[in-house]
């Protein structure tokens, strides 16, 4: 079975621009969560999608938005990029919205905002 | 609400020595607890987890952790460090009916030859 894949692996954007990050969930998983990991910190929960609906959100502003598609892959969109958005963005998939089967993490997308 | 405190942002051990990483949690309900490892430029890999049942949990790569409710702790240990254990380790907590993981700030482990 394939794991969680994220693209791109690295990205450089300019402040004020918009960015889209992509995640393909593990086969059989219907739930995708996104986390932001700033340098030297632990991951922070952004939001979760279950069966194409957002069903949980952390303390992030509305310019962070997402989508989940019928094949359960997902996108994270960030508008009006700020320098503090520079971080590793991790996607995790699960077979349930309560993570009962555990979470599988991707390798992340490193976003640098200049 | 759940939160995690990892004591010590950096731990240095000699190869073959005991590895001990400390994690204390705060939770309003009986928590689920996790340890993840992150190698450079990679995502998170689950080492072990505690949900219910036996409080001593064995994980991959020779790691184990013990859930101590009275101390609100979930410390990670490995009897004998290997060079390949050099990585960053994260403790995380989740309420049983919640969907999000709350992570600690992480502990970087270096292993001396």
């Amino acid at each position: 079975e394939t794991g969680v894949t994220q693209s791109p692996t690295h990205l450089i954007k300019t402040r004020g621009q918009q960015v889209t990050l992509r995640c393909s969930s593990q086969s059989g998983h219907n739930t995708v969560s996104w986390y932001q990991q700033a340098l030297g910190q632990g991951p922070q929960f952004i939001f979760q999608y279950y069966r194409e609906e957002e069903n949980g959100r952390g303390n992030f502003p509305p310019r962070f938005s997402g989508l989940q598609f019928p094949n359960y892959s997902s996108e994270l969109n960030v508008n009006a990029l700020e320098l503090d958005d520079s971080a590793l963005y991790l996607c995790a998939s699960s077979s349930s919205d309560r993570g009962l089967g555990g979470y599988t993490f991707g390798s992340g997308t490193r976003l640098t905002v200049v | 609400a759940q939160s995690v405190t990892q004591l010590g942002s950096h731990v240095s051990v000699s190869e073959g020595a005991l590895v001990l990483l400390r994690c204390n949690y705060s939770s309003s309900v009986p928590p689920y607890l996790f340890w993840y490892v992150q190698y450079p430029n990679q995502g998170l890999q689950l080492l072990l987890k505690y949900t219910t049942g036996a409080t001593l949990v064995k994980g991959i790569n020779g790691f184990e952790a013990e859930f101590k409710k009275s101390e609100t702790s979930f410390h990670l240990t490995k009897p004998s460090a290997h060079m390949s254990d050099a990585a960053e380790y994260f403790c995380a907590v989740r309420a049983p009916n919640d969907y999000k993981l709350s992570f600690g700030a992480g502990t970087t482990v270096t292993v001396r030859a």
Side-chain angles (χ1 to χ4, degrees), chain A residues 21-22 25 39-40 50 53 55 58-59 66 73-74 76 79 82 98 104 107-108 111:
Chain A
L21 310 182
R22 295 178 174 82
S25 59
L39 197 62
Y50 172 63
E53 297 286 333
N55 74 336
N59 189 26
S73 66
S74 177
L76 164 65
N79 294 321
E82 301 177 359
R98 291 296 183 262
T104 302
S107 296
L111 172 65

Side-chain angles (χ1 to χ4, degrees), chain A residues 1-107:
Chain A
E1 69 185 10
T2 58
V4 175
T5 57
Q6 294 186 241
S7 63
T9 56
H10 295 82
L11 200 55
I12 300 175
K13 288 287 189 178
T14 302
R15 188 171 52 183
Q17 285 188 314
Q18 178 266 344
V19 68
T20 296
L21 310 182
R22 295 178 174 82
C23 171
S24 293
S25 59
Q26 181 170 311
S27 177
H29 286 185
N30 58 14
T31 302
V32 172
S33 304
W34 286 91
Y35 288 79
Q36 180 196 66
Q37 186 180 10
L39 197 62
Q41 298 182 24
Q44 298 290 318
F45 175 77
I46 302 175
F47 46 54
Q48 176 173 282
Y49 279 81
Y50 172 63
R51 294 184 176 179
E52 304 179 57
E53 297 286 333
E54 183 183 301
N55 74 336
R57 190 176 184 91
N59 189 26
F60 280 81
R63 59 189 185 84
F64 285 78
S65 64
L67 285 172
Q68 187 178 33
F69 301 99
N71 66 355
Y72 303 127
S73 66
S74 177
E75 288 182 353
L76 164 65
N77 300 289
V78 186
N79 294 321
L81 284 167
E82 301 177 359
L83 297 179
D84 284 349
D85 296 333
S86 295
L88 179 68
Y89 288 85
L90 295 166
C91 170
S93 73
S94 175
S95 57
S96 80
D97 67 329
R98 291 296 183 262
L100 296 176
Y103 298 91
T104 302
F105 281 84
S107 296

Side-chain angles (χ1 to χ4, degrees), chain B residues 73-86:
Chain B
S73 69
F74 191 57
H75 301 332
L76 181 72
T77 60
K78 181 174 180 177
S80 177
H82 191 272
M83 297 299 287
S84 62
D85 295 327

Side-chain angles (χ1 to χ4, degrees), chain A residues 35 37 42 56 97-98 103 106, chain B residues 38 43 90 94 97-99 101 104:
Chain A
Y35 288 79
Q37 186 180 10
D97 67 329
R98 291 296 183 262
Y103 298 91
Chain B
Q38 186 176 38
F90 293 95
R94 180 171 72 82
N97 292 322
D98 200 355
Y99 39 76
L101 292 165

Side-chain angles (χ1 to χ4, degrees), chain B residues 13-19 78-83 85 111-113:
Chain B
V13 298
S14 298
E15 192 173 19
L18 171 71
V19 179
K78 181 174 180 177
S80 177
H82 191 272
M83 297 299 287
D85 295 327
V111 182
R112 306 186 303 272

Side-chain angles (χ1 to χ4, degrees), chain B residues 26-101:
Chain B
S26 172
S27 179
S28 54
V29 297
Y32 290 172
L33 295 158
F34 307 79
W35 276 100
Y36 285 87
V37 61
Q38 186 176 38
Y39 297 100
N41 301 314
Q42 294 189 26
L44 301 174
Q45 181 182 7
L46 180 67
L47 283 175
L48 49 79
K49 64 180 179 181
Y50 169 80
T51 54
T52 58
T55 57
L56 182 61
V57 181
K58 295 187 182 299
I60 63 172
N61 302 339
F63 285 94
E64 64 180 36
E66 186 171 10
F67 169 59
K68 291 187 176 181
K69 183 178 179 180
S70 62
E71 299 177 7
T72 60
S73 69
F74 191 57
H75 301 332
L76 181 72
T77 60
K78 181 174 180 177
S80 177
H82 191 272
M83 297 299 287
S84 62
D85 295 327
E88 189 155 23
Y89 293 78
F90 293 95
C91 182
V93 63
R94 180 171 72 82
N97 292 322
D98 200 355
Y99 39 76
K100 70 174 186 180
L101 292 165

